[in-house]
Amino acid sequence: NSYSSLLYQPPNEKRNMPLIVFLHGAGDNTKNDIWDLADINGQYGRLLPSLIESSQAPSIVMNEFVVLSPYCSSSKSFYDESRSKILSCIQHAIESLKDAIDPSRIFLMGFSDGATLSVELLTTRRFRAGIICS
């Protein structure tokens, strides 16, 4: 039991890249439409997944980072889910992308409720740093 996720990998096929895990905020997640994260005009518009999809993200992100964007559709917020579920999702991505990412450079980026969860997950000391947006 995990999350559906959007995954962005730069086209240059570099090895040992850092990973940004983007955690969205609470919203109308009941639509069960993961592509809502990538819609520049949707409820998550102007956040990292939609900026990547529209090629508006900073070039350093587009060229130097792998980005994982889990989608919480089973409840209103990640915060309502078990911590082990999101950690398992992240670990699965790390194992699946073992050559592409550097497991010592995993960053969390959270928006709204995703920011609250990011702060909590940072206390596990499994992540290099966090970007917290309200």
Side-chain angles (χ1 to χ4, degrees):
N1 191 12
S2 191
Y3 295 103
S4 296
S5 301
L6 297 177
L7 178 69
Y8 172 78
Q9 288 184 267
N12 55 22
E13 298 185 32
K14 288 184 180 177
R15 297 171 82 80
N16 297 314
M17 291 183 289
L19 172 69
I20 296 173
V21 178
F22 176 79
L23 301 174
H24 65 78
D28 186 16
N29 303 333
T30 57
K31 291 192 281 185
N32 201 18
D33 183 5
I34 191 170
W35 292 106
D36 198 34
L37 286 175
D39 183 358
I40 196 74
N41 297 312
Q43 70 173 330
Y44 301 111
R46 313 307 302 169
L47 297 177
L48 188 57
S50 66
L51 293 175
I52 290 170
E53 176 63 23
S54 63
S55 299
Q56 296 179 45
S59 62
I60 193 167
V61 172
M62 300 292 289
N63 296 314
E64 302 294 330
F65 287 85
V66 174
V67 180
L68 175 70
S69 302
Y71 184 69
C72 182
S73 62
S74 56
S75 62
K76 184 176 179 180
S77 168
F78 285 113
Y79 210 74
D80 295 335
E81 301 278 332
S82 74
R83 302 307 169 257
S84 61
K85 185 176 178 181
I86 190 65
L87 289 171
S88 175
C89 176
I90 295 166
Q91 187 60 40
H92 176 73
I94 291 168
E95 291 168 5
S96 298
L97 301 166
K98 61 183 173 193
D99 292 331
I101 63 167
D102 177 352
S104 70
R105 296 189 298 158
I106 311 295
F107 299 88
L108 293 175
M109 180 177 190
F111 174 75
S112 192
D113 271 9
T116 304
L117 179 57
S118 293
V119 169
E120 185 177 323
L121 292 176
L122 285 167
T123 66
T124 67
R125 299 182 184 242
R126 297 179 187 198
F127 305 97
R128 174 66 64 95
I131 303 163
I132 309 304
C133 311
S134 64

